[in-house]
């Protein structure tokens, strides 16, 4: 039996390190490092949540190609149930993201492929209902599914699941209002600082938290190495992640979401969910890509235990 059902996109990330900030046409630019690793917000979330000890099932659509197979195998290797990952019958290819990390920020270039094609009819709703919790990432990348995401969340709530959502960026920079209706069926909403302001249509984070906090039950705003903020009703917590040596911050937000939901489902207080999420996410930036840090479970567990004890937070919600 799965605990969390993730609906989302599944692809690999190709990360090229050390490229110049200004890329010139017709010049050959040399990268100093390369990683080819499991990518996509939903898949990084699912992978890392499963490694933390939550039983995860994944619903997605990939192309009939080696990249899709590799991505699915990466998920399956850590125990994610990929029985509901469909392979597109036509010529559509699995998506791919090329990431070019810079000192503070990163270029993100995505070929969406099958992630634009997954439809509501691709989702096995009976399977979703077997879970305790539904998570969806990359709201704006699910072009075919998007008009029915409201329906998906409403049905999950009717079936008694808790829900969470991470929109990530809107590549079209439109931030349409259809999301606001969905947020009424979201228990934990995970924007980063910029996304929170864009969605709430304000430059002021406090105001964004007020607006979003009036829609979703809990709003958690991620702010890189700054303090993450958790808002629930009139209560609010703000907590900085541990300081770490950064390799890249690919997937940090998704790993944060995974840490939060893992502890949330184990009944931790919201403040402890925030602490646990920060520790998991900080550790993820110490290795390449979004999932490399989570491929060695014992190292991860010892880091998390050490940080948790430093913060004197009682029982670590790591073991299930
Ligand atoms: N440089 C960093 N040092 C420590 N923790 C970090 C760092 N960057 C990110 N994190 C952790 O990852 C979380 C998500 O990062 P952020 O970049 O804000 O999200 P997103 O990937 O969604 O843009 C942060 O809230 C924090 O817990
Ligand atoms: Mg994000």
């Amino acid at each position: 039996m799965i605990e969390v059902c993730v609906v989302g996109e599944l692809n690999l990330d190709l990360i090229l390190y050390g490229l110049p900030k200004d890329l010139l046409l017709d010049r050959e630019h040399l990268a100093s490092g390369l990683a080819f690793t499991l990518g996509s917000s939903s898949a990084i979330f699912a992978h890392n949540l499963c490694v933390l000890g939550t039983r995860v099932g994944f619903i997605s659509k990939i192309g009939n190609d080696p990249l899709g197979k590799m991505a699915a195998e990466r998920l399956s290797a850590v125990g994610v149930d990929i029985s509901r990952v469909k392979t597109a019958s036509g010529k559509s290819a699995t998506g791919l993201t090329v990431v070019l990390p810079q000192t503070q920020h990163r270029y993100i270039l995505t070929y969406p492929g099958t992630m634009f094609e997954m439809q509501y009819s691709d989702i096995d709703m009976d399977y979703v209902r077997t879970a305790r919790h539904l998570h969806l990432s990359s709201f704006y990348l699910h072009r075919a599914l998007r008009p029915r995401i409201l329906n998906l969340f409403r049905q999950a709530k009717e079936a008694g699941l808790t829900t969470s959502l991470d929109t990530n960026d809107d590549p079209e920079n439109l931030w349409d209002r259809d999301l606001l209706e969905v947020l009424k069926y979201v228990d934990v909403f995970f924007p980063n600082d910029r996304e929170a302001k864009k969605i709430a249509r304000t430059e002021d984070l406090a105001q964004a938290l007020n607006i979003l906090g009036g829609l979703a039950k809990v709003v958690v705003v991620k702010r890189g190495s700054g303090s993450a903020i958790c808002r629930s009703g009139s209560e609010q917590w703000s907590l900085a992640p541990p300081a770490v040596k950064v390799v890249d911050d690919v997937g940090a937000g998704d790993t944060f979401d995974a840490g939060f939901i893992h502890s949330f489902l184990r009944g931790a207080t919201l403040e402890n969910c925030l602490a646990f999420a920060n520790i998991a996410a900080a550790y993820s930036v110490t290795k390449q890509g979004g999932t490399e840090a989570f491929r060695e479970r014992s190292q991860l567990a010892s880091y998390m235990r050490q940080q948790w004890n430093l913060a004197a937070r009682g029982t670590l919600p790591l073991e299930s």
Side-chain angles (χ1 to χ4, degrees):
M1 279 284 275
I2 57 168
E3 296 170 88
V4 175
C5 181
V6 181
V7 175
E9 75 294 359
L10 173 57
N11 62 250
L12 298 171
D13 274 352
L14 177 61
I15 310 173
L16 298 175
Y17 297 91
L19 283 167
K21 187 167 179 304
D22 297 315
L23 301 174
L24 304 174
L25 289 169
D26 299 327
R27 293 295 313 280
E28 181 145 347
H29 299 295
L30 297 180
S32 60
L34 164 94
F36 197 37
T37 180
L38 181 65
S40 64
S41 176
S42 309
I44 293 170
F45 172 85
H47 179 281
N48 293 353
L49 180 61
C50 199
V51 172
L52 288 171
T54 292
R55 292 187 304 279
V56 182
F58 200 75
I59 297 181
S60 190
K61 195 168 208 172
I62 53 175
N64 187 11
D65 48 47
L67 294 189
K69 278 194 195 78
M70 274 171 72
E73 274 161 17
R74 273 290 174 93
L75 273 187
S76 164
V78 292
V80 174
D81 177 18
I82 57 163
S83 61
R84 266 59 175 190
V85 173
K86 287 194 174 177
T87 303
S89 52
K91 277 192 272 176
S92 309
T94 305
L96 177 71
T97 295
V98 178
V99 186
L100 313 178
Q102 300 287 327
T103 321
Q104 289 287 328
H105 301 279
R106 58 192 189 247
Y107 292 104
I108 308 172
L109 316 169
T110 291
Y111 168 68
T114 45
M115 74 179 76
F116 268 10
E117 292 173 22
M118 181 171 54
Q119 298 180 17
Y120 186 74
S121 56
D122 291 319
I123 299 176
D124 179 348
M125 282 309 300
D126 289 334
Y127 182 75
V128 175
R129 287 191 200 93
T130 64
R132 287 172 60 196
H133 184 91
L134 167 73
H135 179 85
L136 183 134
S137 298
S138 305
F139 184 81
Y140 301 102
L141 291 181
H142 298 299
R143 197 164 273 184
L145 180 64
R146 183 160 154 193
R148 306 290 298 275
I149 291 178
L150 174 62
N151 194 13
L152 169 66
F153 273 78
R154 197 189 280 144
Q155 288 207 47
K157 288 308 298 172
E158 277 168 15
L161 279 74
T162 49
T163 61
S164 54
L165 174 71
D166 186 339
T167 61
N168 287 316
D169 191 28
D170 177 2
E172 294 179 305
N173 206 21
L174 294 174
W175 309 94
D176 276 345
R177 316 297 275 172
D178 56 337
L179 172 70
L180 304 187
E181 199 51 40
V182 178
L183 288 182
K184 295 178 188 164
Y185 299 90
V186 171
D187 291 294
V188 191
F189 178 44
F190 289 115
N192 66 21
D193 188 301
R194 175 177 169 274
E195 292 153 4
K197 292 174 190 161
K198 287 278 187 186
I199 292 160
R201 305 214 166 158
T202 167
E203 284 300 305
D204 179 36
L205 184 61
Q207 203 177 2
L209 275 161
N210 282 339
I211 294 168
L212 301 175
L215 295 167
K217 267 207 187 117
V218 178
V219 178
V220 193
V221 177
K222 297 162 279 185
R223 300 171 62 237
S225 57
S227 294
I229 301 170
C230 176
R231 168 72 165 264
S232 170
S234 57
E235 290 188 288
Q236 189 165 303
W237 300 267
S238 175
L239 212 58
V244 288
K245 194 160 170 281
V246 180
V247 170
D248 71 55
D249 62 2
V250 175
D254 313 308
T255 308
F256 181 101
D257 304 351
F260 197 99
I261 292 305
H262 177 76
S263 31
F264 182 75
L265 293 177
R266 272 145 194 80
T269 62
L270 291 175
E271 192 182 7
N272 275 348
C273 291
L274 189 60
F276 191 80
N278 264 333
I279 296 172
Y283 187 66
S284 84
V285 308
T286 65
K287 301 240 166 83
Q288 294 183 326
T291 51
E292 292 302 316
F294 279 62
R295 294 180 76 190
E296 186 46 72
R297 195 172 193 273
S298 60
Q299 274 182 31
L300 164 73
S302 78
Y303 175 81
M304 295 207 64
R305 199 165 288 118
Q306 180 204 359
Q307 290 297 326
W308 192 261
N309 290 341
L310 270 179
R313 292 194 170 271
T315 311
L316 176 73
L318 188 58
E319 285 79 23
S320 39

